[in-house]
Amino acid sequence: MKRTVFLICLLLAPLAATAAGGNGQLDEVKIDLRDKQALQRGARLFVNFCLSCHSAGYMRYDRMGKDLGIPEAVLKDNFLFSAHRPGDLMKATMPHDDAKLWFGTAPPDLSLVARSRGPEWFYTYMRSFYQDEVSPSGWNNRVFPHVAMPHVLYEWQGTQQAIFHKDEHGQQHFERFELTKAGSMSPEEYDAAMHDLTNFMVYLGEPAKLHRYNIGVFVLIFMAIFTLLMYALKKEYWTDVK
Amino acid sequence: MAHDKNVDKAKRRFLTHVTTSVGAVGTGVAVVPFVSSMQPSARAKAAGAPVEVDISRLEPGRLLKVEWRGKPVWILRRTEEMLATLEADEPGLADPNSSESDQPAYATGRTRSIRPGILVLVGVCTHLGCSPLDKFDTGGTVGQVHDWPGGFFCPCHGSTFDLSGRVYKNVPAPRNLPVPPHSFKDDNTILVGIDHADETGKA
Amino acid sequence: MEKFMQWIDERYPLTETYNEHLAKYYAPKNFNWMYYFGSLALLMLVVQIVTGIFLTMHYKPDARLAFESVEYIMRDVPWGWLMRYLHAVGASFFFIVVYLHMLRGMLYGSHRSPRELLWLVGMVIFLCLMAEAFMGYLLPWGNMSYWGAQVIISLFGAIPYVGDGLTEWIRGDFVVADATLNRFFALHVIALPLVLAGLVFVHLIALHKVGSNNPDGIEIKKNKGPDGIPVDGIPFHPYYTVKDLVGVSVFLMIYFAVVFFMPEFFGWFLEHDNFTPANLLQTPTEIKPLWYFTPFYSILRATTNTLLPYLAGVALVTMVLAVMAVKNLIGRALIVGATVVFIAGLFTLEAKFWGVVLMGLSIVLLALLPWLDRSPVKSIRYRGWMYKTAITVFCINFLLLGWLGTQGVDETKTLLAQVGTIIYLLFFVLMPVYTSLDKTRPVPERLTK
């Protein structure tokens, strides 16, 4: 038995190591998919701002409406583009080729961005745009250097500058942001809005996440009962074996 | 291996039954996701959403075919002459009152339509699912009907239908052609798939 | 009912089969928890086939549609996400179970006479399973799928003369492309599952011919009662069916916990980079195979020019040992000749080629275990400290290589992987020596508890 425990520990050690070894530069964000209000706020943000250029091409409006508890009439009036029907996929309104022409690269589909990059990355990214004269759009981003996308929400966040310091090897290190012009939101309000958006992006990456935890609890309870019964049955039969 | 003579047979049987039953319930529940994964997906359902059809340019006596839920739907603008044939057809029809067939309550009777001039049908033969052909030229023999008054003819097994989609007697097709749920958004626009123009979604 | 069974039995050996493989198949009564993994492997094969069938109903093996169709399964197909997670997580669990099943064999000497063929069939199953997993991993057509396949297929390019032609033939294109996806799909859903099912059948028949080994490594068939039944045997059914079902339900509990609560398992079972569609212009920053391939992948990466002289050393040791073991002159001459050719090859062909050879060899060596192990006893319970040390070092080393395979390379890690590779080889090469020198304890007549 000791050997078993030892082997299991060995097996788990590297797992723990990778789990802990996240990117230290990213800001923490707490995801709560049970908060339907926050998800709805995030959805509104996404549809109003992101969806004009970026698609969420694997997601359907009516699924989102049903999952987030948005009534159909509200969904139609506030979330749908006129040409779309509730059952449609959430495709960007901007034609793909035009976008490529304007930005030099087509805005990527965002359905899965929270899964491929992680919520922390997304949350940090949305708050890390800073002014940079060298970049063609006038904007740069700390976690996505030379990103083609300009800061869409600068009217909310305001404009900020990145402060770097040089270490003894002459390498630039990011220190902090400095607000050069306040936006219509306070930094706390802006962070809260991006928190909502990130929360929604996590949902958008995997809508089944809303249900699978609940189902999983029942499955595990059932399996526990069955295991107990099975164990009792095994013990009963094995009384024969001397 | 030794069989203990003092084995509590009843306890063992009870445990076996309980465990088997619980296991069977679990297996039964586990089958549900697998079976329901074969149901129409969200994509199929979205494709089944109502279809808007512009009939402003549909000439009298002509047929327009549109796709709804992957099925052909016919829209026929019937002329006065066409409507006049309907009553005369009835002795030869299997179910002239459409009591056996599938149509919304607002599309019953002889014309099987909301507006007598506009007939909307699902163009799938009630026999084995072929799509019948339109035979609007009158006269001659079509299938077993002499002096053809105009209607539809299924090329697969020779079923014949009148200009309201009602099936003739003594043909393989058992029922009249179904009328899909539909409504008029305005004079020139039909919504196939929903009953009332002011309400969207489910048919 | 009785009449019906009689009717069947006259036409098909149903009762006979049932008796031979279940009711009157006598298994040693002292199986411990390591013995669950055989039946669990069978369970996972069934789970993978069933979920695979339902996924195939919705998946599109087309480079333009594949990624989208997986997301379609995840979102639009009712319960599609469950099918997908059961299958994807199932692959990892299948390998966990199979690795533990193999370790069980190595601990208790299940590969030893008379079970050598059983072990060999098992090794072929393991190879097929690796091919099956590798091809299945391309199907989601994520960026990791794409580049993973690109790298692994390019391995064959290291083979002298035919390499380039061979890789093009495998891909059916000059890069991994639609043609590759389509053929991998065919092999993944039809060809390999058929072969696997057939091999598993042969594996079971071979097992039931020789009978199960046990943690004591004692042949229970050598000690039969007057009724011809092994004294230490119990009928598989009902005793081991109920016991294995306990194992199955505990296992399913763990499996379902992962499927429902952490299907990505920190990026170990479903990789984050694979949620981006295949992009032939951009390789993911960290490209690595899934965890179950990484020990072998590490060996591949560790084989650089620096390692080659050490490999020559291992070859020389092997030669000396083989020459000592073989008594006739021609045999000895052949061994020396082969070693000279091998060492000459090491210094003429490029290291990339030897990496591929070594990776293949690391699996072939496992298949040779029945003949490398010279110990008079089978089970670790009666072996001395040498084998116990060797197998502990081997396991730790295997896990270390596995972990290194998931990491990026730097100087220390490459060195570690190279040391690991040599240890891996020496475990096998030196096995005839330490297993025959090792002091063993006497094996009892009857099974112990």
Side-chain angles (χ1 to χ4, degrees), chain A residues 60 62 85 87-89, chain B residues 36-51 67-71, chain C residues 58 60 72 75-78:
Chain A
R60 292 178 194 281
D62 58 349
R85 295 182 296 173
D88 282 347
L89 293 167
Chain B
S36 35
S37 77
M38 292 170 74
Q39 295 274 345
S41 70
R43 179 160 71 199
K45 282 180 189 155
V51 178
E67 194 188 313
W68 172 69
R69 293 200 172 163
K71 286 185 273 192
Chain C
H58 306 286
K60 302 262 193 301
Y72 167 73
R75 292 156 195 264
D76 282 2
V77 174

Side-chain angles (χ1 to χ4, degrees), chain A residues 1 3-4 6-8 10-15 17-19 56-60 63 89 91 111-118 203-209 211-217 219-220 223-228 230-235 237-242, chain C residues 28-31 33 36 67-68 71-72 74-76 79 81 84-85 96 103 107 234 238-243 245-246 248-250 252-254 256-266 268 270 272-277 380 388 391-392 395-396 399 403 406-407 449:
Chain A
M1 197 59 208
R3 167 179 244 105
T4 319
F6 176 65
L7 281 176
I8 289 171
L10 267 179
L11 201 74
L12 290 180
L15 293 184
T18 6
Y58 307 120
M59 188 68 192
R60 292 178 194 281
R63 168 77 182 269
L89 293 167
K91 296 275 193 195
S111 311
L112 287 159
V113 73
R115 286 202 98 174
S116 57
R117 302 248 194 196
Y203 158 76
L204 188 66
E206 193 200 357
K209 216 173 187 171
H211 317 292
R212 73 171 153 84
Y213 294 118
N214 298 335
I215 299 167
V217 170
V219 170
L220 289 191
M223 284 314 299
I225 295 170
F226 184 70
T227 306
L228 285 179
M230 212 50 241
Y231 182 67
L233 184 67
K234 183 252 164 190
K235 267 193 99 154
Y237 268 101
W238 277 67
T239 50
D240 296 350
V241 181
K242 289 277 146 65
Chain C
K29 62 183 183 186
N30 65 337
F31 282 176
W33 66 278
Y36 285 130
F67 187 85
E68 190 187 322
E71 278 309 308
Y72 167 73
M74 290 297 293
R75 292 156 195 264
D76 282 2
W79 294 96
W81 60 272
R84 200 265 176 121
Y85 282 156
I96 292 173
L103 174 64
L107 287 180
I234 48 173
Y239 299 105
Y240 278 116
T241 36
V242 290
K243 193 177 177 191
L245 278 170
V246 176
V248 163
S249 41
V250 171
L252 283 182
M253 204 147 48
I254 301 169
F256 288 152
V258 174
V259 164
F260 284 103
F261 293 98
M262 41 177 151
E264 297 164 9
F265 205 68
F266 316 111
W268 283 74
L270 281 169
H272 301 300
D273 275 326
N274 228 20
F275 289 110
T276 320
I380 192 151
K388 285 179 181 169
I391 196 152
T392 310
C395 287
I396 295 170
L399 292 172
W403 177 73
T406 66
Q407 301 294 307
K449 263 286 158 187

Side-chain angles (χ1 to χ4, degrees), chain C residues 303 307-316 342 346 354 358 421-422 425:
Chain C
T303 315
L307 190 71
L308 294 182
Y310 297 95
L311 286 180
V314 174
L316 279 175
F342 178 75
L346 275 182
W354 292 109
L358 224 58
T421 303
I422 298 293
L425 293 175

